[in-house]
Amino acid sequence: MDLMLPRLNALRDSEDEAAFAGAEYRHSTRLSGVGVSLKDDAKVLGMGVSVKSDADMLNMGVTVKDDANELGMGVIDSAGSAHVVMSSQDKVIVGYWLVRAALNVALSRGANKNKLLRGTGIFEDALQHQSLLSTKQYSSLLVNVQSQARGGDVSFLLGGAFASQWLSSPLNALKACENVEQLLLQLTQRHTYRWCSLPLCQFQRFENADQIMLVPQFTGVSSKQLQFSIEMAFASVVALMKSIANKRIRLSFSFTESRPRNIADYETHLGLKLSFNRAFNSICIEKDVLRQPLELTAQSDCSAESHVSLEGVVNNSATQTKEGASIELQNRLSLPDFVRRYVYASSNTQAANIGLPELAETLNVSVATLKRKLKEYGTSYRALCEEVQRNHALLLLSVHKVSNETAANAMGINDLPNFRRTVKRLTGKTPSELRI
């Protein structure tokens, strides 16, 4: 079988080692892909579930690396909530460049500055390079931009505007990336950079023999904002990779929505490789593209005094902007993303009695507090569980078209009738319909 999914990818930086400490591992050499395997006694979520070094989920060549586990099989430490952004009001977003870009785009499209900032708690005259915002503040700003700025391409323009400022922001450290794989990893998997580029979006990574698929998962984004946020995130990744790599990277995109009327905006900002009415919203990149080196001009385009090594940022969680402002980057997961990982890990262990109370205990909070914190983000434990299950089912059945027995086993469901009912409830389609 020509499948390697779901390949669990490694937490590739120090912040994820802090958030998911405790796994024993063996290092390989490259920064962009620290290819290590978990030893037999590594425990998942501290629940005594072993992940063997030769584990092969679904017998499809699955590997588990130490530096990322974007599907949730992370190992966490006893610090609990210390490495999780528990509240939507915690200020962790390095927001100066993001706010400036949002204001510039919105004002150019007829928005009123006072109305844009109304209700956000953001004050333009108080913005500094070191200013931190909460997810609630940033999400409120984007809601205002979406409602006030005119034009169907505003989301794409926002993504491009964020990218245009990369050299002056903490993202300037990415000029040290050596190839496309390393750059894509930093932009889409590192929590360090997430808080200064795409703070409301974390990508879940899947992999098969030929390509990488990145599925966006959003924090603090309502259903009305979702498509706008997807377009903005995709445009930002495209523009950032083009700016930093000094060339257009070959990417393809899929959307769950129908083909839009403003298809020209999609083609202008994302390219021609677009598909609609798909199971996932996703970015796909062929593996041969990942190995391409970056242009030297992109790495030598900066003054020596503003140069920051990528390794230094990953290890020290700090960087310096081109203007010289020292920025402390946050090495933390958002609470919804942490819950998604926990839910996925729980489903794969097939262990009994793993749910909300156990998650609350892991985070050292009460069940009531955990529910309240998730409500701040506009979600719930049940909603996140269903999102994880739905994505897992769609991936197995629509993308890899595995059998019911294989999919049920991967999802931790013991009997096939229950599996079919679950898939129908989550996706609105039967397993057979999803394989078409």
Side-chain angles (χ1 to χ4, degrees):
M1 184 179 288
D2 184 26
L3 299 178
M4 293 174 60
L5 203 105
R7 180 171 179 173
L8 305 180
N9 293 278
L11 294 171
R12 301 186 177 182
D13 52 354
S14 58
E15 80 265 25
D16 286 320
E17 291 174 6
F20 298 93
E24 296 184 80
Y25 46 78
R26 298 188 299 274
H27 288 279
S28 66
T29 56
R30 282 191 309 125
L31 173 65
S32 62
V34 185
V36 297
S37 57
L38 295 176
K39 292 184 179 179
D40 292 347
D41 56 354
K43 294 184 178 180
V44 177
L45 298 176
M47 294 181 288
V49 182
S50 297
V51 181
K52 296 184 178 180
S53 60
D54 59 350
D56 186 352
M57 181 179 297
L58 306 182
N59 295 317
M60 296 179 195
V62 176
T63 61
V64 181
K65 298 179 181 178
D66 84 312
D67 50 293
N69 186 339
E70 298 310 323
L71 302 184
M73 293 287 284
V75 181
I76 66 170
D77 65 5
S78 59
S81 61
H83 302 297
V84 180
V85 182
M86 293 295 293
S87 173
S88 65
Q89 300 184 51
D90 289 344
K91 294 190 175 183
V92 292
I93 299 172
V94 183
Y96 175 84
W97 295 272
L98 297 174
V99 173
R100 296 307 315 171
L103 291 178
N104 289 341
V105 169
L107 293 175
S108 70
R109 290 305 181 89
N112 179 283
K113 183 182 295 186
N114 293 329
K115 291 182 179 179
L116 284 173
L117 297 178
R118 184 176 299 167
T120 65
I122 300 171
F123 302 95
E124 187 181 17
D125 57 359
L127 273 178
Q128 303 292 330
H129 290 161
Q130 301 92 335
S131 296
L132 296 179
L133 306 176
S134 67
T135 56
K136 184 176 181 180
Q137 287 179 299
Y138 185 60
S139 179
S140 297
L141 175 63
L142 292 182
V143 169
N144 291 346
V145 171
Q146 182 181 2
S147 64
Q148 294 184 44
R150 295 189 295 269
D153 61 346
V154 171
S155 56
F156 298 109
L157 293 177
L158 278 174
F162 297 153
S164 69
Q165 303 189 52
W166 76 273
L167 189 55
S168 298
S169 79
L171 293 177
N172 78 83
L174 299 186
K175 61 182 174 286
C177 291
E178 297 179 356
N179 53 42
V180 173
E181 180 181 14
Q182 200 175 84
L183 176 57
L184 185 68
L185 168 69
Q186 305 298 328
L187 289 177
T188 62
Q189 309 294 125
R190 291 276 195 268
H191 300 296
T192 299
Y193 296 108
R194 178 248 186 101
W195 298 115
C196 56
S197 59
L198 294 168
L200 304 184
C201 179
Q202 176 67 21
F203 286 92
Q204 188 174 19
R205 172 171 164 153
F206 301 100
E207 181 174 347
N208 63 20
D210 302 315
Q211 65 180 7
I212 301 296
M213 176 188 292
L214 299 172
V215 178
Q217 297 176 317
F218 291 92
T219 293
V221 172
S222 67
S223 57
K224 291 182 179 180
Q225 281 183 280
L226 183 58
Q227 187 61 27
F228 183 91
S229 299
I230 291 169
E231 293 166 0
M232 183 180 69
F234 285 5
S236 184
V237 170
V238 169
L240 277 167
M241 292 192 71
K242 181 180 179 181
S243 297
I244 299 172
N246 204 35
K247 60 182 177 181
R248 188 69 178 258
I249 305 299
R250 190 170 75 245
L251 302 171
S252 59
F253 301 87
S254 65
F255 298 88
T256 58
E257 299 290 323
S258 301
R259 182 184 173 89
R261 293 182 178 179
N262 63 326
I263 186 64
D265 293 328
Y266 282 73
E267 294 174 344
T268 297
H269 296 277
L270 302 182
L272 300 179
K273 291 192 171 184
L274 306 168
S275 56
F276 300 92
N277 293 313
R278 299 293 183 175
F280 284 108
N281 297 296
S282 68
I283 301 174
C284 291
I285 183 168
E286 301 298 323
K287 286 188 173 179
D288 64 318
V289 176
L290 292 175
R291 294 186 287 270
Q292 294 178 4
L294 301 189
E295 298 290 340
L296 291 177
T297 52
Q299 300 179 43
S300 59
D301 192 27
C302 314
S303 63
E305 64 182 14
S306 66
H307 179 76
V308 180
S309 72
L310 185 61
E311 184 175 3
V313 174
V314 170
N315 291 336
N316 301 322
S317 304
T319 189
Q320 192 172 34
T321 67
K322 192 174 183 181
E323 288 76 10
S326 179
I327 303 294
E328 186 70 22
L329 300 178
Q330 299 293 318
N331 298 330
R332 301 166 68 186
L333 280 165
S334 73
L335 178 59
D337 289 322
F338 183 91
V339 174
R340 290 182 180 107
R341 294 185 178 207
Y342 176 92
V343 171
Y344 191 91
S346 300
S347 68
N348 276 280
T349 63
Q350 298 189 14
N353 301 319
I354 299 176
L356 186 60
E358 290 72 27
L359 174 59
E361 182 177 356
T362 296
L363 291 169
N364 296 327
V365 298
S366 67
V367 171
T369 296
L370 179 55
K371 288 181 177 179
R372 176 169 53 82
K373 294 295 184 182
L374 286 171
K375 189 175 181 180
E376 286 182 15
Y377 281 102
T379 189
S380 66
Y381 181 72
R382 177 169 181 169
L384 292 171
C385 285
E386 292 186 345
E387 178 189 354
V388 170
Q389 284 185 306
R390 180 173 60 254
N391 284 350
H392 199 184
L394 288 171
L395 182 79
L396 292 166
L397 298 169
S398 292
V399 178
H400 293 279
K401 304 184 186 302
V402 301
S403 67
N404 285 1
E405 291 81 1
T406 301
N409 182 63
M411 294 176 64
I413 299 176
N414 295 325
D415 62 277
L416 292 182
N418 186 32
F419 167 75
R420 286 189 286 268
R421 286 193 299 269
T422 299
V423 170
K424 178 70 173 179
R425 176 175 60 82
L426 292 172
T427 69
K429 296 182 179 182
T430 66
S432 298
E433 290 171 335
L434 288 175
R435 291 192 191 92
I436 296 176

